[in-house]
Amino acid sequence: MQATSVQQRILVFCRAGCDAARVQGIFEHAAVEEAHTFDEALNALRQGHFDYIISEQRDFLALERAAVDQQAAVILQTIGQGVGIFDLAGQLVWANPKLRGSPEDLIRQISEACVRTFGSPSEQDKGKPAHHRARRFSLACGNDQHFEVTITPVMNSAEEVTQVAVVAWDVTHSRRLQKKIDAIDMAGRELVRIDAEQTAGMNVQERVKLLEQKMLRYMHDLLHFDNFAVLLIDKKTNRLEFVLQHGMTPRSQDYDMFAAAESNGISGYVAATGRSYICHDTSKDPRYLQGMETARSSLTVPLRLHDKIIGVLNIESDQPAAFNEDDRQFAEILARYVAIALNILDLLILERYESTGQLCDDVIGEISGPLNDIITDARTLMDEYIGNDEMRRRLNTIVDNVSEIKRKVRDVAKPKGGILGRWNETTEKDPLLEGKSILVADDEEIIRETIGQVLEKQGCVVETASDGRQAIEMIQNKHYDMVLADIRMPHKNGYEVFAAAKDHDPVTCVMLMTGFGYDPNHSIVRARQEGLSAVLFKPFKVDQLVSQLKLALEGKVA
């Protein structure tokens, strides 16, 4: 198929008159227009594009200069900066629409700057070229408007200043942006500042609440948003877990979201890719999963710690298209501080450290090389000092000391009763606990074994479950006086185990355990409202465990 050619346009300009018909005969398929004055020609050029301009040489040069002047005038009239000419008395001689529409206070300040800089004849010293250079000022006007202004002297042939050319840029937006960034930076510094006196008497939950209150204040004051959630990536399962939140619907905490780009909502996408995400309309975005009850738009940014993505910060609004690129930039800055604050409060230890021989192995692994080198060097020297009993005795003492160091490090680092600390082997059985049937549910074997050993020494009959699903199956098939369950377990979480125990027998005592104050889905809050007996925060001591068990069972008897 042959393409249709575009018709060419030709402008014929000749003040003395010309034969446009002759031109049309040469260019049969072109659209030919003629002009007999500069005004006609310039008006034709303003109205459209011409492929050719035909004129006499003397007329063409004049037309070219006129066209350039016309284009320059158009640029000055439409340019985004304010442009004007002032005389040396500070009077505005000419201004483009942008400058004429500027605040009167700005015009006054520019006028004063022109007079102050170039207006006084006594200051015009031709021996000082600096007087002829452009000057730049930052000016502020009412209603918190800011302008950058450049004033440039206009010189005559005698190098005298006759007028002043002015260009004014409105930098209000960038100034406000910078102020907001500075404010967020200061807020972030306050967010991560840990006041020893303020937090010394707080438990983990209270510190989390303090951080949540700080975030709410800064979100409201700086970003003007009140609804947010902080989710962290569980390194074991890659699941996103709620840690902090305000204004979100309880249903949002029941989502099974993972750090994956597809099928895991916006938060999963951001956690997997590290790219921030603005959802302008929640009703039209297939990735959006409801967080706030009345959300119409959302902003989600990654939490970065040491250049690693450890979670996301999600902010929501009940207004559509409530977030822009500035908000994204602010939120990303604040999110870095949030990540640091969480790290400081030890909330990032989501995969609870298994108190096994791993710690001991790590410590010995770090120091065994240097210690073995000392032993080798000492024994080599001992061979060289055969016959020198005093030197061999001293070297042998060094070897013994190094071996003792390794032994003591191993003793200090190895687990003592798991997370519970040292346990007295001679513990007497407690009458209140003796014979009680107790189920311990935790996905960490060392925790199950340690708690089981402690309770069996008290005379309890202990059974264990390695995950939530197994615990629920055991609860449904047998009565237990006490169920002790970790909050975070595979398949079913601690709250679901709690609910199953209460459904099976409402009088069953249930205690939940959590490591480092970690409470996904706000299980503790919900369970407490429904009859939870107690909460244990890992790491805890033996006397804490026994004391809580006795109190719970006493409450049951009462």
Side-chain angles (χ1 to χ4, degrees):
M1 180 177 179
Q2 186 176 1
T4 303
S5 60
V6 179
Q7 188 180 39
Q8 293 180 325
R9 297 186 66 201
I10 300 175
L11 175 64
V12 179
F13 171 57
C14 183
R15 288 180 293 177
C18 62
D19 190 354
R22 182 182 175 189
V23 175
Q24 185 69 73
I26 298 173
F27 299 93
E28 296 180 359
H29 301 291
V32 179
E33 298 182 28
E34 58 180 310
H36 302 286
T37 66
F38 281 115
D39 289 341
E40 290 179 4
L42 290 175
N43 186 56
L45 290 173
R46 281 196 297 268
Q47 293 178 359
H49 169 76
F50 287 89
D51 298 286
Y52 301 101
I53 299 176
I54 300 176
S55 72
E56 294 184 6
Q57 183 176 359
R58 67 176 187 275
D59 291 335
F60 181 81
L61 294 175
L63 178 62
E64 184 181 37
R65 286 195 295 270
V68 170
D69 292 342
Q70 177 66 30
Q71 291 300 318
V74 171
I75 292 173
L76 288 174
Q77 293 293 331
T78 59
I79 195 171
Q81 288 80 35
V83 180
I85 299 292
F86 285 75
D87 63 22
L88 298 184
Q91 295 298 316
L92 181 60
V93 177
W94 174 88
N96 70 348
K98 187 71 174 180
L99 186 62
R100 287 197 299 270
S102 300
E104 294 182 3
D105 187 32
L106 175 65
I107 303 298
R108 178 186 59 77
Q109 292 187 66
I110 293 175
S111 173
E112 293 174 354
C114 291
V115 173
R116 183 172 60 252
T117 307
F118 302 113
S120 175
S122 61
E123 293 181 2
Q124 293 196 27
D125 185 351
K126 295 179 182 180
K128 294 182 179 180
H131 177 68
H132 297 162
R133 290 201 298 263
R135 312 293 175 86
R136 189 163 185 166
F137 303 89
S138 294
L139 300 177
C141 303
N143 198 26
D144 194 30
Q145 289 182 279
H146 298 271
F147 294 85
E148 291 288 337
V149 178
T150 299
I151 58 176
T152 305
V154 179
M155 315 294 292
N156 60 16
S157 57
E159 295 189 359
E160 296 173 338
V161 180
T162 58
Q163 291 180 318
V164 182
V166 174
V167 179
W169 290 266
D170 188 343
V171 295
T172 302
H173 176 73
S174 60
R175 288 291 180 87
R176 289 176 179 173
L177 184 65
Q178 187 59 51
K179 285 183 178 180
K180 206 164 190 178
I181 290 175
D182 292 343
I184 287 179
D185 184 63
M186 292 187 65
R189 293 174 187 273
E190 170 65 20
L191 194 65
V192 302
R193 187 176 67 87
I194 301 300
D195 190 325
E197 293 184 0
Q198 185 181 19
T199 60
M202 293 183 176
N203 60 29
V204 177
Q205 276 191 313
E206 290 169 336
R207 291 188 179 191
V208 172
K209 192 65 177 178
L210 176 64
L211 178 60
E212 192 173 278
Q213 290 171 350
K214 282 186 176 184
M215 281 195 62
L216 178 60
R217 183 169 75 250
Y218 295 134
M219 284 284 184
H220 178 80
D221 294 346
L222 300 176
L223 300 180
H224 309 297
F225 298 114
D226 297 327
N227 306 288
F228 68 91
V230 173
L231 299 89
L232 297 180
I233 301 173
D234 180 345
K235 293 181 181 179
K236 277 188 175 181
T237 63
N238 206 38
R239 190 176 188 270
L240 287 170
E241 306 283 8
F242 277 82
V243 176
L244 305 173
Q245 69 87 24
H246 185 272
M248 299 295 175
T249 175
R251 291 195 303 274
S252 66
Q253 300 167 28
D254 295 331
Y255 295 129
D256 280 330
M257 291 186 295
F258 297 85
E262 300 299 333
S263 304
N264 283 275
I266 294 174
S267 294
Y269 173 84
V270 173
T273 64
R275 293 194 290 267
S276 299
Y277 194 104
I278 299 177
C279 173
H280 296 290
D281 188 342
T282 59
S283 65
K284 297 180 180 179
D285 195 319
R287 280 198 173 103
Y288 179 76
L289 298 176
Q290 187 178 37
M292 177 184 168
E293 191 76 43
T294 58
R296 298 289 305 281
S297 58
S298 71
L299 166 63
T300 308
V301 299
L303 294 179
R304 297 180 184 273
L305 187 68
H306 306 309
D307 296 324
K308 292 184 178 180
I309 308 300
I310 52 89
V312 298
L313 167 61
N314 177 48
I315 311 170
E316 305 207 350
S317 172
D318 57 3
Q319 299 297 319
F323 303 94
N324 56 30
E325 286 301 309
D326 290 346
D327 297 316
R328 177 193 60 77
Q329 185 179 18
F330 300 150
E332 287 178 352
I333 295 172
L334 189 61
R336 286 188 176 273
Y337 287 112
V338 172
I340 297 172
L342 290 171
N343 189 45
I344 292 174
L345 290 178
D346 288 332
L347 295 177
L348 292 181
I349 313 177
L350 297 183
E351 50 178 289
R352 294 147 298 172
Y353 195 89
E354 296 184 5
S355 299
T356 65
Q358 183 64 47
L359 175 60
C360 176
D361 292 341
D362 289 345
V363 175
I364 295 299
E366 289 292 328
I367 68 172
S368 61
L371 291 179
N372 288 336
D373 290 343
I374 295 174
I375 293 175
T376 300
D377 291 342
R379 286 176 175 167
T380 300
L381 288 173
M382 287 171 66
D383 293 338
E384 295 179 2
Y385 283 90
I386 295 176
N388 189 335
D389 294 339
E390 178 61 19
M391 182 60 71
R392 287 173 61 85
R393 184 184 65 78
R394 291 182 178 179
L395 291 172
N396 196 58
T397 301
I398 292 175
V399 173
D400 292 340
N401 287 339
V402 171
S403 299
E404 181 67 11
I405 290 172
K406 294 177 70 173
R407 185 188 66 77
K408 287 184 177 179
V409 169
R410 188 173 295 277
D411 287 343
V412 171
K414 72 180 180 181
K416 298 176 178 59
I419 59 170
L420 301 172
R422 189 179 301 276
W423 177 245
N424 186 353
E425 296 291 339
T426 61
T427 302
E428 297 182 359
K429 295 180 180 180
D430 190 293
L432 184 60
L433 297 177
E434 188 172 6
K436 294 297 188 293
S437 176
I438 298 180
L439 172 62
V440 178
D442 198 298
D443 58 325
E444 295 178 15
E445 183 178 2
I446 188 65
I447 305 297
R448 299 194 302 271
E449 291 180 353
T450 305
I451 294 178
Q453 292 171 6
V454 170
L455 298 182
E456 285 174 352
K457 295 182 191 313
Q458 294 283 354
C460 299
V461 179
V462 180
E463 295 183 21
T464 61
S466 59
D467 59 55
R469 181 185 300 159
Q470 182 185 9
I472 292 176
E473 291 175 354
M474 296 173 68
I475 289 170
Q476 292 172 343
N477 294 319
K478 181 180 178 178
H479 168 76
Y480 293 96
D481 297 298
M482 168 68 70
V483 175
L484 185 58
D486 186 49
I487 285 180
R488 183 173 67 96
M489 291 185 292
H491 308 306
K492 298 290 184 179
N493 60 38
Y495 176 78
E496 291 171 301
V497 173
F498 162 82
K502 288 297 184 180
D503 286 343
H504 183 71
D505 187 350
V507 301
T508 300
C509 296
V510 181
M511 291 174 57
L512 294 180
M513 299 180 292
T514 176
F516 303 97
Y518 179 63
D519 183 15
N521 305 326
H522 292 263
S523 300
I524 294 174
V525 175
R526 290 193 289 176
R528 274 180 171 162
Q529 296 172 349
E530 300 169 17
L532 181 66
S533 298
V535 178
L536 282 174
F537 294 99
K538 301 178 184 177
F540 49 83
K541 297 180 180 180
V542 170
D543 57 354
Q544 288 178 286
L545 171 64
V546 175
S547 174
Q548 293 283 7
L549 282 171
K550 292 174 64 176
L551 288 174
L553 292 170
E554 287 172 351
K556 176 183 176 183
V557 173

